Amino acid sequence: MQGYIYPNEFELQWSLLIVLYPYITGLVAGAFILASLERVFNVKEVQPTYRLSLLTALAFLLVATLPLLAHLGHPERSYEIFMTPNRQSAMAMFGFVYAWYLMVVLLVEIWFDYRKDMVAWYRDSKGFKRWLYYALTLGSTDISEKALRFDDSAGRWITIIGIPSAFLLHGYVGFIFGSVKANPWWSSVLMPVVFLFSAIVSGIALVLLLYMITTLFRWRPINMACLDKLAQFLFYALVVDFSLEMLDFLHRLYESEESIEILSQMIQSRLFLSLIVLQILLGTVIPLVTLGLFSPGLKRGGFVKVRPEAKQLVYLACAVLIQIGIFSIRWNVVIGGQLFSKSLRGLTVYKVEFLGIEGLAMTLGLLFLPFVILWILVKVLPPWTDQEVGRLAKATG
Amino acid sequence: MPEQVPRLLAVFLTASVALVIARSLLVPDTFGDIGHYRAAATDSVVAHQKKYAGHQECALCHGQIQEMRLAGNHRGVRCEVCHGPAANHVSNPLEVKPPAPQDREFCTLCHEYNASRPTGFPQIDPADHNPHVPCIACHEPHAPEPPGMPGDCSACHGQIARQKAVSHHSAVPCTTCHQTPDEHKVNPRSVRPSKPTERDFCGACHAQERLAGIPQIDLTAHNPAYLCWQCHYPHYPGTS
């Protein structure tokens, strides 16, 4: 503690779990928007990651609400927000945004995309698996040319609906913070936009990581064209994200509201590590410069030409740094917004507990859970294009 | 229509119907009658056992205290704030006695200095403010007085007062030697009492034959070069 704080500001109400929540939702929105790129804008290079992005989005979406439920502490009451919708509450409305996104966008898109394969798997397998795939196809086993063409165009339409939905999903999270008028660190109309772009950055970086790791473990060669394209998108998204953040920063500086003094004090003391070092330096500037030099973002083939293996390592490092940076952004927003007193006269401290429902262990568990779900999803619905190519070749040949 | 559509629609329809059924089963009957909550909740609240009686009830039997409170500085602090929920006491006054908080910690809940309290709210620092003595020894809890002007010089000049009280000058009031404007007690440093300045002042009592019982000296002979208080401490005069 430092200076004067109100008695009810001593303990932070929004803990580590609330940091996790926008982080995970951001990954969902980001992964989905990456998938949409391939679909709507027909970016052929990133095609190997299309399905992986969709499954990633789904795995993380299934976990997205868990931090909130754990934080609120009464998961058994959560259904009530669907039973008695409250239009006055942004938080309650999120339940519907979430349900819409899960049921109407993500599941249906995955269903249309996988239907052909599910039918094939259903026909190829026996016993329980056969029934599982049959159930998953909902009994729709027609894979005639006409039916497949319908799948494709339906999928495209859903993606088109899906993009604004993904924007809504994560924009909403920014909205929740941006609309807290009483908190000068949060209250900003730019908040949803900044959240959105940081979401895209984190989603692309995550899919890039997952793509590299899964290919590595399957002993397949990495598709360098795909990786370069991902890195290129990552670079562009990072540029926009960083400019928006700087815009927000300059805007605050220029406005110089009465809160500016305590906020700059907070940045210099409490948030120095997480904001200056982790978020800006390690999480943004270094990846930005590195990607600018190595990725084809600014110049075809990149300014610095190295062997593909080296380049892969560079991308890997950037993606990891970016994840750390984005997590720091969430931390700085959520925790930062509670570290200074609303009297603008003092700063408090936040100590993360280890065990307990809002502790570090819980957070790590929730962070790990989506990967378990993803692993199961990948087992049931393999997203690999190379295998598929092989199997299709076998089927037709 | 491609076969996918009716099958998907069937799933959504089932989900919607399930939602509608769940709603009709789970949403309480009176939900939304008045506002975004179960209207019957008010009845269940009414059905709770009453714990607080309200201060008007107390006045029925403790009229004097109520009058005193309403006229005093605690007029905004209701009886049960200090005495706790006392509905049981009202229905059974002789059996159930509400507690009366007598320790200092209780009053400091509201009166301990804390910057977040509204400006002007009477606050004290319990470590400095007459420590170890119960607050109610000096303040009547039902009508506490604001800081009045201390009547006696001893409130501030304790050392001198105690010394003088056991000295030969115990019978001589402070104000005989110090003309003290009342304002001195409020602004002691800016408004100062007078102090004797010449030997004649002491002589008024000690050099007059006629004042019986007062030790006499000869002003002209008794160490005339000095002021009396250079040798005799006026608040504890001695002859050694």
Side-chain angles (χ1 to χ4, degrees):
Chain A
M1 247 193 57
Q2 173 186 330
Y4 172 71
I5 63 166
Y6 290 126
N8 61 347
E9 290 168 332
F10 184 67
E11 194 182 332
L12 268 66
Q13 300 302 319
W14 287 8
S15 63
L16 190 56
L17 285 182
I18 305 299
V19 177
L20 190 61
Y21 160 65
Y23 178 64
I24 291 189
T25 346
L27 292 174
V28 175
F32 182 83
I33 288 167
L34 177 65
S36 324
L37 277 180
E38 195 270 332
R39 193 72 193 234
V40 177
F41 303 109
N42 238 335
V43 184
K44 280 283 171 301
E45 289 92 333
V46 298
Q47 213 257 335
T49 62
Y50 172 62
R51 286 181 160 187
L52 186 63
S53 323
L54 285 183
L55 294 188
T56 307
L58 179 60
F60 278 85
L61 187 65
L62 290 177
V63 178
T65 56
L66 295 190
L68 284 185
L69 294 183
H71 169 76
L72 293 174
H74 271 290
E76 79 282 3
R77 294 186 194 160
S78 56
Y79 74 90
E80 288 180 8
I81 68 167
F82 293 108
M83 294 297 125
T84 55
N86 185 349
R87 271 171 288 111
Q88 305 293 308
S89 156
M91 294 262 185
M93 279 300 110
F94 172 69
F96 291 89
V97 173
Y98 176 88
W100 162 269
Y101 188 75
L102 174 69
M103 312 259 296
V104 179
V105 175
L106 207 48
L107 286 180
V108 174
E109 175 158 350
I110 291 177
W111 189 75
F112 274 119
D113 192 65
Y114 270 98
R115 202 179 64 84
K116 183 182 71 177
D117 296 297
M118 289 190 297
V119 172
W121 293 326
Y122 151 65
R123 289 185 179 153
D124 285 354
S125 45
K126 291 196 195 53
F128 170 72
K129 268 182 120 178
R130 187 176 163 85
W131 285 109
L132 175 69
Y133 285 121
Y134 185 70
L136 284 179
T137 60
L138 301 176
S140 161
T141 53
D142 178 5
I143 45 171
S144 63
E145 188 77 3
K146 196 168 144 233
L148 290 185
R149 223 173 318 118
F150 178 78
D151 282 351
D152 191 52
S153 69
R156 183 184 303 274
W157 276 108
I158 286 163
T159 315
I160 289 173
I161 302 172
I163 293 177
S165 304
F167 274 49
L168 189 64
L169 182 80
H170 203 62
Y172 148 82
V173 182
F175 178 87
I176 286 283
F177 289 97
S179 60
V180 180
K181 316 186 248 253
N183 189 321
W185 185 243
W186 290 339
S187 176
S188 154
V189 273
L190 265 184
M191 200 62 121
V193 190
V194 173
F195 259 58
L196 198 62
F197 275 90
S198 57
I200 296 176
V201 170
S202 71
I204 298 178
L206 178 70
V207 172
L208 190 145
L209 273 177
L210 284 174
Y211 174 67
M212 289 184 72
I213 293 169
T214 50
T215 348
L216 213 67
F217 276 99
R218 294 183 313 118
W219 297 103
R220 298 290 151 96
I222 287 179
N223 181 335
M224 222 37 220
C226 168
L227 211 57
D228 274 336
K229 201 72 186 173
L230 283 180
Q232 188 182 347
F233 285 146
L234 190 56
F235 176 71
Y236 295 149
L238 206 53
V239 169
V240 178
D241 181 36
F242 191 47
S243 338
L244 282 173
E245 255 161 47
M246 286 302 110
L247 180 62
D248 189 35
F249 179 70
L250 283 178
H251 190 238
R252 281 164 193 275
L253 217 57
Y254 185 73
E255 256 186 330
S256 262
E257 286 189 17
E258 66 218 306
S259 59
I260 192 81
E261 211 143 294
I262 189 77
L263 294 186
S264 55
Q265 250 183 54
M266 176 171 77
I267 292 174
Q268 282 159 27
S269 58
R270 298 288 193 279
L271 293 187
F272 185 80
L273 180 71
S274 61
L275 197 142
I276 308 286
V277 179
L278 289 180
Q279 176 183 332
I280 295 185
L281 199 67
L282 288 181
T284 312
V285 174
I286 291 183
L288 200 62
V289 173
T290 318
L291 287 176
L293 291 178
F294 287 85
S295 83
L298 292 175
K299 180 168 176 244
R300 184 177 305 212
F303 289 107
V304 182
K305 295 216 169 34
V306 289
R307 287 188 305 135
E309 290 77 19
K311 213 183 205 180
Q312 286 166 14
L313 279 183
V314 168
Y315 288 162
L316 189 74
C318 284
V320 170
L321 283 182
I322 285 174
Q323 289 304 337
I324 296 174
I326 301 283
F327 191 84
S328 306
I329 294 187
R330 309 299 183 229
W331 172 279
N332 293 330
V333 168
V334 175
I335 303 297
Q338 303 171 81
L339 284 183
F340 66 95
S341 168
K342 304 304 165 287
S343 66
L344 308 181
R345 281 198 275 148
L347 300 170
T348 179
V349 280
Y350 175 51
K351 287 206 179 67
V352 184
E353 53 177 1
F354 181 70
L355 296 172
I357 193 141
E358 306 209 27
L360 186 64
M362 182 77 170
T363 307
L364 290 177
L366 285 177
L367 205 51
F368 185 63
L369 188 59
F371 294 100
V372 177
I373 298 180
L374 183 62
W375 182 76
I376 297 173
L377 284 177
V378 165
K379 285 281 159 220
V380 178
L381 303 171
W384 322 123
T385 40
D386 35 13
Q387 236 176 29
E388 186 190 34
V389 171
R391 192 182 44 72
L392 273 184
K394 202 175 71 195
T396 49
Chain B
M1 195 189 325
E3 76 171 339
Q4 294 96 310
V5 178
R7 288 181 193 261
L8 267 187
L9 282 183
V11 171
F12 278 103
L13 211 65
T14 319
S16 314
V17 170
L19 186 72
V20 172
I21 294 176
R23 254 193 76 108
S24 69
L25 291 179
L26 292 173
V27 176
D29 284 340
T30 54
F31 186 91
D33 286 359
I34 312 174
H36 196 80
Y37 59 93
R38 185 171 60 92
T42 51
D43 299 333
S44 20
V45 172
V46 169
H48 283 170
Q49 208 207 341
K50 244 174 83 176
K51 301 225 169 86
Y52 287 88
H55 68 127
Q56 289 95 340
E57 292 284 315
C58 315
L60 297 180
C61 302
H62 303 290
Q64 235 181 334
I65 295 181
Q66 173 79 324
E67 269 169 38
M68 192 157 80
R69 186 181 67 86
L70 290 178
N73 279 309
H74 273 168
R75 71 186 86 75
V77 186
R78 301 282 154 87
C79 314
E80 285 160 300
V81 170
C82 297
H83 290 295
N88 281 342
H89 168 67
V90 168
S91 51
N92 198 349
L94 290 178
E95 300 269 300
V96 187
K97 296 274 177 64
Q102 276 150 341
D103 42 343
R104 291 170 61 90
E105 282 68 36
F106 174 73
C107 309
T108 52
L109 285 179
C110 294
H111 288 292
E112 180 166 10
Y113 176 75
N114 181 328
S116 64
R117 297 202 201 279
T119 313
F121 185 83
Q123 298 163 65
I124 50 126
D125 177 357
D128 283 353
H129 188 79
N130 307 301
H132 308 305
V133 188
C135 315
I136 50 177
C138 301
H139 302 287
E140 160 61 48
H142 302 119
E145 277 307 310
M149 213 156 42
D152 201 36
C153 317
S154 63
C156 306
H157 299 290
Q159 175 80 17
I160 294 175
R162 278 191 297 275
Q163 264 194 315
K164 189 182 77 76
V166 296
S167 79
H168 292 292
H169 275 165
S170 59
V172 185
C174 312
T175 41
T176 305
C177 303
H178 303 290
Q179 283 172 334
T180 313
D182 268 352
E183 184 66 12
H184 171 67
K185 298 177 186 171
V186 184
N187 287 312
R189 274 172 223 279
S190 38
V191 178
R192 298 194 175 231
S194 69
K195 288 186 293 186
T197 46
E198 2 172 298
R199 291 166 59 91
D200 285 344
F201 179 82
C202 307
C205 286
H206 288 287
Q208 315 265 324
E209 303 282 328
R210 52 193 145 88
L211 289 173
I214 298 180
Q216 301 296 315
I217 45 111
D218 181 352
L219 261 188
T220 48
H222 190 74
N223 305 312
Y226 304 95
L227 290 166
C228 316
W229 44 90
Q230 284 175 304
C231 298
H232 304 283
Y233 182 49
H235 306 129
Y236 194 76
T239 48
S240 52

